[in-house]
Amino acid sequence: MDVPETPRTGLPLRSRLAAASPWPRKRIVGEVVLTPVLAGIAGLLHTTETGSVARGGALALVVAVLSLARRALPATVLMVSSALAGAVVGTFPLLIYASWSAGSRIKRPVRAPAAYAAGLALYFVTTAADDELGVSLLVTAALSGSPFLVLAVVPGLASRYRAQRHDLLDALRRHNAQLVREQAMVARQARLLERQRIAQDMHDSLGHQLALIAVHAGALEVDPELNDRQREGVGILREASRSAMRELREAVGILRDGVEAPAPGPKDDAEPSTARVAASVDKLVASSRAAGAPVELHRSGTERPLAPAADHAVYRIVQEGLTNAHKHAPGAPITVALRYEPDSLVVEVANGAVPAGAPAGPPAISGGQGLTGLRERARLVGGMVHTGPTPDGGFRLAGVLPYGDGRGRSRPDGATFVAVGDDYRGQTGGGSAGDGGAVIERADPQKEFAALMSSKKNVALGCALTAVVLVVGTGALLFWGVGKLMDEVGKGVIPASVYESAQVGDSEADIRKKFPEGDSLLTEGVEKDGPPLPEDATCEHFVDDEADIVYRFCFRDGKLSSKESYPHRV
């Protein structure tokens, strides 16, 4: 379906530019702050070094353009920044940020080392071209490579580690969410199969027995030998069996289809209502009274609507309380109370002690699951159920059910209640540690990954290990480079005593034994600062180890023909 384009002619220029910009506001603010800072540092330092405002301004403009383009062209900006950093000191901050962007944005594993190798080569070339120490290329490479490792490679590795960690976390979250969805689907399928099996068992066993009770009760009701009192009792029994049959059909339908029973039609309205809600508590009380039990019903407070699940729980609590009183305390007075409190409905069913001399009924048959089911039903709607004996020797069953829509809420003790449709305990994380195995909570599917990988300690540890490796390697390389530099310098330096002890006419071999071995780039070009070189002579130049003095030794025919000293111009 084609969506009509929103007209933009009436929008102000700022709004149109913001709508057309591919950058989020956070990045725009960051670039507005970062770009002038990088450009200002480079331009100011270069202006101070060269004394030219024009050159400083041109460099600042170049740095600003590179800073804005470092995300779109990370490899290119990294190499250009490396070349600039080797020639201009003020561009080192740009190299750091360019390396940070390149480390996370160059995705191909081969391209990233190639970009950093090219950047190191460019940095080395520009550094060697501007070298004034006069040392060998090997020493220059060692001395120039160390700053590049610290300012470029370390930020790049840290950025790449951070980006890969975020990508891994995103992939784990997506995978975990998919597993949770699949697990919920499998659990739902298993529940549906189990429901169908239970429904079939209930239909085959209970349905048959209830049907027999209804048939025999109907036949007994028309027996002419029964009096009116007996016939009324049999009618109540037959009606109870019919009600049980209707409830069984509803329960079997819910178990099979997983939905609530449909609303009763016109035909059902003609029969006694079987709606299991708080409004039907009167019918439960009336049925118990018809069976001969002394039952009283009390209502207090302003009646308020309940959620469907809570309304159904009210009916079940009263039904279970009356059933237990009939079974365990036959003939005892029963009190049913519905109290509408400001924040919840209190349902209470209490029976007194069994009267003395009351006829004992048949042994009560109890599966022990009624009260457990009530507590679970109340928990699912955000309520609670309390049971216990009363001071007069009776028994009390009370339930507290909240008003509202019945959505999940939390109690003060920290327990969480969930809606009926969201109760996946035992399948997607409602179990405890004792269930055997890891538990993924439904409310936070990424909890175990957050506990394993989102800790700041792990991030700090990874960065610290990377930094330690790089610092140790860089320190070793720098130490080796400084050692080489000292060796290079030592080849062109002699003490003043060597110059003073040498006399014209001494043997060249004896004097050369006092000279250091090898040539040094430190003494290249120093002959231009002194007197003209004598003809037909071989001269050696050295620098004093303490003062800026050049010593010249000239040899002819294996003898020292002359020696001279003059200031060393650095």
Coordinates of all heavy atoms in Angstrom, one line a residue, residues 492-557:
G492 N 80.0 7.5 17.9 CA 80.6 8.8 17.4 C 81.1 9.7 18.5 O 81.3 10.9 18.3
V493 N 81.3 9.1 19.7 CA 81.7 10.0 20.9 C 83.0 9.4 21.5 O 83.1 8.2 21.6 CB 80.5 10.0 21.9 CG1 81.0 10.7 23.2 CG2 79.3 10.6 21.4
I494 N 83.9 10.3 21.8 CA 85.1 10.0 22.5 C 85.4 11.0 23.6 O 84.9 12.1 23.5 CB 86.3 9.9 21.5 CG1 86.6 11.3 20.9 CG2 86.2 8.8 20.5 CD1 87.8 11.4 20.1
P495 N 86.1 10.6 24.6 CA 86.4 11.6 25.7 C 87.6 12.5 25.2 O 88.3 12.2 24.3 CB 86.9 10.7 26.9 CG 87.3 9.4 26.2 CD 86.5 9.2 25.0
A496 N 87.7 13.6 25.9 CA 88.8 14.6 25.6 C 90.2 14.0 25.8 O 91.1 14.5 25.1 CB 88.6 15.9 26.4
S497 N 90.3 13.1 26.7 CA 91.6 12.5 26.9 C 92.2 11.8 25.7 O 93.4 11.8 25.5 CB 91.6 11.5 28.1 OG 90.6 10.5 27.8
V498 N 91.3 11.2 24.9 CA 91.8 10.5 23.7 C 92.4 11.6 22.7 O 93.5 11.4 22.1 CB 90.7 9.7 23.0 CG1 91.2 9.2 21.6 CG2 90.2 8.6 23.9
Y499 N 91.7 12.7 22.6 CA 92.2 13.7 21.7 C 93.6 14.3 22.2 O 94.5 14.6 21.4 CB 91.2 14.8 21.6 CG 91.6 16.0 20.7 CD1 91.6 15.9 19.3 CD2 92.1 17.2 21.3 CE1 92.0 17.0 18.5 CE2 92.4 18.3 20.5 CZ 92.4 18.2 19.2 OH 92.8 19.3 18.4
E500 N 93.6 14.5 23.5 CA 94.8 15.1 24.1 C 96.0 14.2 24.0 O 97.2 14.6 23.9 CB 94.6 15.6 25.5 CG 93.5 16.7 25.6 CD 93.1 17.0 27.0 OE1 93.6 16.2 27.9 OE2 92.3 17.9 27.3
S501 N 95.8 12.9 24.2 CA 96.9 12.0 24.2 C 97.5 11.7 22.8 O 98.6 11.2 22.7 CB 96.5 10.6 24.8 OG 95.4 10.0 24.1
A502 N 96.7 12.0 21.8 CA 97.2 11.7 20.4 C 98.2 12.8 20.0 O 97.9 14.0 20.2 CB 96.0 11.6 19.4
Q503 N 99.3 12.4 19.4 CA 100.3 13.4 19.0 C 100.6 13.2 17.5 O 100.5 12.1 17.0 CB 101.6 13.2 19.8 CG 101.5 13.4 21.3 CD 101.1 14.8 21.7 OE1 101.5 15.8 21.0 NE2 100.3 14.9 22.7
V504 N 100.9 14.3 16.8 CA 101.2 14.2 15.4 C 102.4 13.3 15.2 O 103.5 13.5 15.9 CB 101.4 15.6 14.8 CG1 101.9 15.5 13.3 CG2 100.2 16.4 14.9
G505 N 102.4 12.4 14.3 CA 103.4 11.4 14.0 C 103.2 10.1 14.7 O 104.0 9.1 14.4
D506 N 102.2 10.0 15.6 CA 101.9 8.7 16.2 C 101.4 7.7 15.1 O 100.8 8.1 14.1 CB 100.9 8.8 17.3 CG 101.5 9.5 18.5 OD1 102.7 9.7 18.6 OD2 100.7 10.0 19.4
S507 N 101.5 6.4 15.4 CA 101.0 5.4 14.5 C 99.5 5.4 14.4 O 98.8 5.6 15.4 CB 101.5 4.0 15.0 OG 100.9 3.0 14.2
E508 N 99.0 5.3 13.2 CA 97.6 5.3 12.9 C 96.9 4.1 13.6 O 95.8 4.2 14.2 CB 97.3 5.3 11.4 CG 95.8 5.3 11.1 CD 95.6 5.2 9.6 OE1 96.6 5.3 8.8 OE2 94.4 5.1 9.2
A509 N 97.6 3.0 13.6 CA 97.0 1.8 14.2 C 96.8 1.9 15.7 O 95.8 1.5 16.2 CB 97.9 0.5 13.9
D510 N 97.9 2.5 16.3 CA 97.8 2.7 17.8 C 96.6 3.7 18.2 O 95.9 3.5 19.2 CB 99.1 3.2 18.3 CG 100.2 2.2 18.2 OD1 99.8 1.0 18.0 OD2 101.4 2.6 18.2
I511 N 96.5 4.7 17.4 CA 95.4 5.7 17.7 C 94.0 5.1 17.5 O 93.1 5.3 18.2 CB 95.7 7.0 16.9 CG1 97.0 7.6 17.3 CG2 94.5 8.0 17.1 CD1 97.3 8.9 16.5
R512 N 93.9 4.3 16.4 CA 92.6 3.8 16.0 C 92.1 2.8 17.1 O 90.9 2.5 17.2 CB 92.6 3.1 14.7 CG 92.6 4.1 13.5 CD 92.4 3.5 12.2 NE 92.4 4.4 11.1 CZ 91.3 5.1 10.7 NH1 90.1 4.9 11.3 NH2 91.3 5.9 9.7
K513 N 93.0 2.2 17.8 CA 92.6 1.3 18.9 C 91.8 2.0 20.0 O 91.0 1.4 20.7 CB 93.8 0.6 19.5 CG 94.5 -0.3 18.6 CD 95.8 -1.0 19.3 CE 96.5 -1.9 18.3 NZ 97.7 -2.5 19.0
K514 N 92.0 3.3 20.1 CA 91.3 4.1 21.1 C 89.9 4.6 20.6 O 89.1 5.1 21.4 CB 92.1 5.3 21.5 CG 93.5 4.9 22.1 CD 94.3 6.1 22.5 CE 95.7 5.7 23.0 NZ 96.5 7.0 23.3
F515 N 89.7 4.4 19.3 CA 88.4 4.9 18.7 C 87.3 3.8 18.9 O 87.6 2.6 18.9 CB 88.6 5.2 17.2 CG 89.4 6.4 16.9 CD1 90.0 6.6 15.6 CD2 89.8 7.3 17.9 CE1 90.8 7.7 15.4 CE2 90.6 8.4 17.6 CZ 91.1 8.5 16.4
P516 N 86.0 4.2 19.0 CA 84.9 3.2 19.0 C 84.8 2.6 17.7 O 85.1 3.1 16.6 CB 83.7 4.1 19.4 CG 84.1 5.5 19.0 CD 85.5 5.6 19.2
E517 N 84.3 1.3 17.7 CA 84.2 0.5 16.4 C 82.9 0.9 15.7 O 81.8 1.1 16.4 CB 84.2 -1.0 16.7 CG 85.5 -1.4 17.3 CD 85.5 -2.9 17.6 OE1 84.4 -3.6 17.3 OE2 86.5 -3.5 18.1
G518 N 82.9 1.0 14.4 CA 81.7 1.3 13.6 C 81.6 2.7 13.3 O 82.2 3.6 13.9
D519 N 80.7 3.0 12.3 CA 80.4 4.3 11.9 C 79.1 4.8 12.6 O 78.2 4.0 12.9 CB 80.3 4.4 10.4 CG 81.6 4.1 9.7 OD1 82.6 4.3 10.3 OD2 81.5 3.5 8.6
S520 N 79.0 6.1 12.8 CA 77.9 6.7 13.5 C 77.3 7.8 12.6 O 78.0 8.6 12.0 CB 78.2 7.2 14.9 OG 77.1 7.9 15.4
L521 N 76.0 7.8 12.5 CA 75.3 8.9 11.8 C 75.3 10.2 12.5 O 75.0 11.2 12.0 CB 73.9 8.5 11.4 CG 73.7 7.2 10.5 CD1 72.2 6.9 10.4 CD2 74.3 7.5 9.2
L522 N 75.7 10.1 13.8 CA 75.8 11.3 14.6 C 76.8 12.3 14.1 O 76.7 13.5 14.3 CB 76.1 10.9 16.1 CG 76.1 12.1 17.1 CD1 74.8 12.7 17.2 CD2 76.6 11.5 18.5
T523 N 77.9 11.8 13.4 CA 79.0 12.6 13.0 C 78.9 13.0 11.5 O 79.8 13.6 11.0 CB 80.3 12.0 13.3 OG1 80.4 10.7 12.6 CG2 80.5 11.8 14.8
E524 N 77.8 12.6 10.9 CA 77.7 12.9 9.4 C 77.4 14.4 9.3 O 76.6 15.0 9.9 CB 76.5 12.2 8.8 CG 76.8 10.7 8.6 CD 75.7 10.0 7.9 OE1 74.7 10.7 7.5 OE2 75.8 8.8 7.6
G525 N 78.2 15.0 8.4 CA 78.1 16.4 8.1 C 78.9 17.4 9.0 O 78.9 18.6 8.7
V526 N 79.5 16.8 10.1 CA 80.2 17.8 11.0 C 81.4 18.3 10.4 O 82.0 19.3 10.9 CB 80.5 17.0 12.3 CG1 79.2 16.6 13.0 CG2 81.4 15.8 12.1
E527 N 82.0 17.7 9.3 CA 83.2 18.2 8.7 C 83.0 19.5 8.0 O 84.0 20.3 7.8 CB 83.8 17.2 7.7 CG 83.0 17.0 6.5 CD 81.8 16.0 6.7 OE1 81.7 15.5 7.8 OE2 81.1 15.7 5.7
K528 N 81.7 19.8 7.7 CA 81.5 21.1 7.0 C 81.6 22.3 8.0 O 81.7 23.4 7.5 CB 80.1 21.1 6.4 CG 79.9 19.9 5.4 CD 78.5 19.9 4.9 CE 78.2 18.8 3.9 NZ 76.8 18.7 3.4
D529 N 81.5 22.0 9.3 CA 81.5 23.1 10.2 C 83.0 23.5 10.6 O 83.2 24.5 11.2 CB 80.8 22.8 11.5 CG 79.3 22.5 11.2 OD1 78.8 23.0 10.3 OD2 78.7 21.7 12.0
G530 N 83.9 22.7 10.2 CA 85.3 23.0 10.6 C 86.2 23.5 9.4 O 85.7 23.8 8.3
P531 N 87.5 23.6 9.6 CA 88.4 24.1 8.6 C 88.4 23.1 7.4 O 87.9 22.0 7.5 CB 89.8 24.1 9.3 CG 89.5 24.1 10.7 CD 88.2 23.3 10.9
P532 N 88.9 23.6 6.2 CA 88.9 22.7 5.0 C 89.7 21.4 5.3 O 90.7 21.5 6.1 CB 89.5 23.6 4.0 CG 89.3 25.0 4.4 CD 89.3 24.9 5.9
L533 N 89.3 20.3 4.7 CA 90.0 19.1 4.9 C 91.3 19.1 4.1 O 91.4 19.6 3.0 CB 89.1 17.9 4.4 CG 87.8 17.7 5.1 CD1 87.0 16.6 4.4 CD2 88.2 17.2 6.6
P534 N 92.4 18.6 4.7 CA 93.7 18.5 4.0 C 93.6 17.5 2.9 O 92.9 16.5 2.9 CB 94.7 18.1 5.1 CG 93.8 17.3 6.1 CD 92.5 18.0 6.1
E535 N 94.5 17.8 1.8 CA 94.5 16.9 0.7 C 95.3 15.6 1.0 O 96.2 15.7 1.8 CB 95.1 17.6 -0.5 CG 94.2 18.8 -0.9 CD 94.9 19.5 -2.1 OE1 95.9 19.1 -2.6 OE2 94.2 20.5 -2.6
D536 N 95.0 14.6 0.3 CA 95.7 13.3 0.4 C 95.8 12.8 1.8 O 96.8 12.3 2.3 CB 97.2 13.4 -0.2 CG 97.2 13.8 -1.6 OD1 96.2 13.5 -2.3 OD2 98.1 14.5 -2.0
A537 N 94.7 13.0 2.6 CA 94.7 12.5 4.0 C 93.3 11.9 4.2 O 92.3 12.3 3.6 CB 94.9 13.6 4.9
T538 N 93.3 10.9 5.2 CA 92.0 10.3 5.6 C 91.7 10.8 7.0 O 92.5 10.6 7.9 CB 92.1 8.8 5.6 OG1 92.5 8.3 4.3 CG2 90.8 8.1 6.0
C539 N 90.5 11.4 7.1 CA 90.2 12.0 8.4 C 89.0 11.3 9.1 O 88.1 10.8 8.4 CB 89.8 13.5 8.1 SG 91.1 14.5 7.5
E540 N 89.0 11.3 10.4 CA 88.0 10.7 11.2 C 87.5 11.8 12.1 O 88.2 12.6 12.7 CB 88.5 9.6 12.0 CG 88.9 8.4 11.2 CD 87.8 7.6 10.6 OE1 86.6 7.9 11.0 OE2 88.0 6.8 9.7
H541 N 86.1 11.9 12.3 CA 85.5 13.0 13.1 C 84.8 12.3 14.3 O 84.0 11.3 14.1 CB 84.5 13.8 12.3 CG 85.2 14.6 11.2 ND1 85.6 14.0 10.0 CD2 85.6 15.9 11.2 CE1 86.1 15.0 9.3 NE2 86.2 16.1 10.0
F542 N 84.9 12.9 15.5 CA 84.2 12.4 16.7 C 83.7 13.6 17.4 O 84.2 14.7 17.3 CB 85.1 11.5 17.5 CG 85.6 10.3 16.9 CD1 86.8 10.3 16.2 CD2 84.8 9.1 16.9 CE1 87.3 9.1 15.6 CE2 85.2 8.0 16.2 CZ 86.5 8.0 15.6
V543 N 82.7 13.4 18.4 CA 82.2 14.4 19.2 C 82.6 14.1 20.6 O 82.6 13.0 21.1 CB 80.6 14.4 19.1 CG1 80.0 15.5 20.0 CG2 80.2 14.7 17.6
D544 N 82.8 15.2 21.3 CA 83.2 15.1 22.7 C 82.0 14.6 23.5 O 80.9 14.9 23.3 CB 83.7 16.5 23.3 CG 84.3 16.3 24.7 OD1 83.5 16.4 25.6 OD2 85.5 16.1 24.8
D545 N 82.3 13.7 24.5 CA 81.2 13.1 25.3 C 80.6 14.0 26.3 O 79.6 13.7 26.9 CB 81.7 11.8 26.0 CG 82.9 12.1 26.9 OD1 83.4 13.2 26.9 OD2 83.3 11.2 27.7
E546 N 81.2 15.2 26.6 CA 80.6 16.1 27.5 C 80.3 17.5 26.9 O 79.3 18.1 27.3 CB 81.6 16.3 28.7 CG 81.8 15.0 29.5 CD 82.7 15.2 30.7 OE1 83.3 16.3 30.8 OE2 82.9 14.2 31.5
A547 N 81.2 18.0 26.1 CA 81.0 19.3 25.5 C 80.7 19.2 24.0 O 80.9 18.1 23.4 CB 82.3 20.1 25.7
D548 N 80.1 20.3 23.5 CA 79.8 20.3 22.0 C 81.0 20.7 21.2 O 81.2 21.8 20.7 CB 78.7 21.3 21.8 CG 77.4 20.9 22.4 OD1 77.2 19.6 22.5 OD2 76.5 21.7 22.8
I549 N 81.9 19.7 21.1 CA 83.2 19.9 20.4 C 83.4 18.8 19.5 O 83.2 17.6 19.9 CB 84.4 20.1 21.4 CG1 84.2 21.3 22.4 CG2 85.7 20.2 20.7 CD1 85.3 21.4 23.4
V550 N 83.9 19.1 18.3 CA 84.2 18.1 17.3 C 85.7 17.9 17.2 O 86.5 18.9 17.2 CB 83.6 18.5 15.9 CG1 84.0 17.4 14.9 CG2 82.1 18.6 16.0
Y551 N 86.2 16.6 17.2 CA 87.6 16.3 17.1 C 87.8 15.7 15.8 O 87.2 14.7 15.4 CB 88.0 15.3 18.2 CG 87.8 15.9 19.6 CD1 87.0 15.2 20.6 CD2 88.4 17.0 20.0 CE1 86.9 15.6 21.9 CE2 88.3 17.5 21.3 CZ 87.5 16.8 22.2 OH 87.3 17.3 23.5
R552 N 88.9 16.3 15.1 CA 89.2 15.7 13.7 C 90.6 15.1 13.8 O 91.6 15.8 14.3 CB 89.2 16.8 12.7 CG 89.7 16.4 11.3 CD 89.8 17.6 10.4 NE 88.5 18.2 10.1 CZ 88.3 19.3 9.3 NH1 89.4 19.9 8.9 NH2 87.2 19.7 9.1
F553 N 90.8 13.9 13.3 CA 92.0 13.2 13.2 C 92.3 12.9 11.7 O 91.5 12.2 11.1 CB 92.0 11.9 14.0 CG 91.8 12.1 15.5 CD1 90.5 12.2 16.0 CD2 92.9 12.3 16.4 CE1 90.3 12.3 17.4 CE2 92.6 12.5 17.7 CZ 91.3 12.5 18.2
C554 N 93.4 13.4 11.2 CA 93.7 13.1 9.8 C 95.0 12.3 9.7 O 96.0 12.6 10.4 CB 94.0 14.4 9.0 SG 92.4 15.4 8.9
F555 N 95.0 11.2 8.9 CA 96.1 10.3 8.8 C 96.6 10.3 7.3 O 95.9 10.4 6.3 CB 95.7 8.9 9.1 CG 95.1 8.8 10.5 CD1 93.7 8.9 10.8 CD2 95.9 8.6 11.6 CE1 93.2 8.8 12.0 CE2 95.4 8.5 12.9 CZ 94.1 8.6 13.1
R556 N 98.0 10.1 7.2 CA 98.7 10.0 5.9 C 99.9 9.1 6.1 O 100.7 9.3 7.0 CB 99.1 11.4 5.4 CG 99.8 11.3 4.0 CD 100.3 12.6 3.5 NE 99.3 13.7 3.3 CZ 99.2 14.7 4.1 NH1 100.0 15.0 5.0 NH2 98.2 15.6 3.8
D557 N 99.9 8.1 5.2 CA 101.1 7.2 5.2 C 101.2 6.4 6.5 O 102.3 6.2 7.1 CB 102.4 7.9 4.9 CG 102.4 8.5 3.5 OD1 101.6 8.0 2.6 OD2 103.1 9.5 3.3

